[in-house]
Amino acid sequence: MSGPILHHYGTSPFSEKVRVAFGIKQLAWRSVKIPPMMPKPDLTPLTGGYRKTPVMQIGADIFCDTQIILREIERRHPQPTLFPGLSKGLAEGVAYWADHQLFAACVAIAFGIMGEQMPDAFLEDRAQFSGRPIDRTKLKRQSAVMHGPLRAHLGWVEEALNDGRAFLFGEAPSLADLAVYHGVWFVRDRAKSDAVADYVKLNAWADRMKSFGHGTYTEMDGKEALTIARQAQPMAMPGGVAPNALGLSLNDTVSVTPDDTGRDPVVGQLVALDAQSITIRRASEETGEVQVHFPRAGFILVPHKGQ
């Protein structure tokens, strides 16, 4: 069985979430460095156009979005669990809040600090990614506006840690810790903002998260990852297509699109569908047949036009 390949870049905050998960579980993995902006010539054949970072590959199976990446890591490597104690379900809800509301505030703060150093091409790419223009002259103002919401969000985390617990759900890290941490990491460690400096418990917790490291990894080339996909067979998907309001059935041609940013649809044949995940089948000359996996939450699944 092929081990995990993470397609990522070093300054990607969502990639940091997965890298720390590898550290918590002390996994060995392979690292493919991808460009921080489009085009991504060695990644697009694998995903069919999904442009967010990171993407995890296991053989001919491609996992898009950290929700489903971490779910698959947990399935294959259940110990130590990312859902200790009573955190299952609740941790996923906290993670969804952190990935959206908290992270939006973190991005605004970080861009306000780093925006002047960012190349025009990068900001243009992020404007296309977000679906709205980015005005370099307004980044500091937008950062100031979001400073209050960020402080409110992080205040909840500080209060949770005030009772002496080491992590958000007790004495072991959970999915919730990973989701909150990657935003804090982006503001504190990447942007070097002082916005979190006076949160004593939060900073001690962030240091504990950082200490897990990233597991053990080896670098590999994107072309080699394409060869691995081409030589592998997608994993069997039990369960088929669950009843759904759209009336979709096995092998229907569908499109899957993020509902927030990076709204580039991926088209393929429906292989599996349940309450939490979507799997479609695609094929290309570079990869052969692959399966691309998405979470249900945060993605729009519809029949492909022209079907």
Side-chain angles (χ1 to χ4, degrees), residues 157-298:
V157 179
E158 182 80 359
E159 288 181 15
L161 296 169
N162 264 334
D163 62 4
R165 71 186 79 175
F167 300 98
L168 294 181
F169 282 92
E171 296 308 305
S174 71
L175 174 67
D177 293 275
L178 289 168
V180 173
Y181 174 70
H182 84 278
V184 172
W185 173 84
F186 195 41
V187 169
R188 189 189 80 147
D189 296 75
R190 176 76 181 103
K192 307 297 183 184
S193 170
D194 60 2
V196 302
D198 59 339
Y199 290 112
V200 176
K201 300 293 186 180
L202 177 78
N203 278 285
W205 162 86
D207 289 339
R208 285 192 290 275
M209 292 297 294
K210 189 174 184 177
S211 71
F212 285 114
H214 295 158
T216 304
Y217 64 92
T218 55
E219 299 287 349
M220 69 180 297
D221 182 75
K223 293 290 192 297
E224 184 180 352
L226 291 172
T227 299
I228 288 172
R230 190 167 59 249
Q231 294 177 346
Q233 293 295 319
M235 65 182 182
M237 294 297 298
V241 175
N244 58 88
L246 291 171
L248 295 171
S249 302
L250 186 69
N251 295 322
D252 282 355
T253 302
V254 298
S255 71
V256 184
T257 310
D259 66 6
D260 51 4
T261 57
R263 298 185 186 93
D264 295 312
V266 178
V267 176
Q269 282 67 54
L270 189 61
V271 172
L273 179 68
D274 61 26
Q276 297 297 337
S277 61
I278 305 162
T279 301
I280 64 173
R281 179 177 59 249
R282 302 188 63 264
S284 71
E285 182 178 345
E286 299 99 322
T287 65
E289 185 175 295
V290 297
Q291 288 181 157
V292 189
H293 306 263
F294 303 90
R296 290 295 297 270

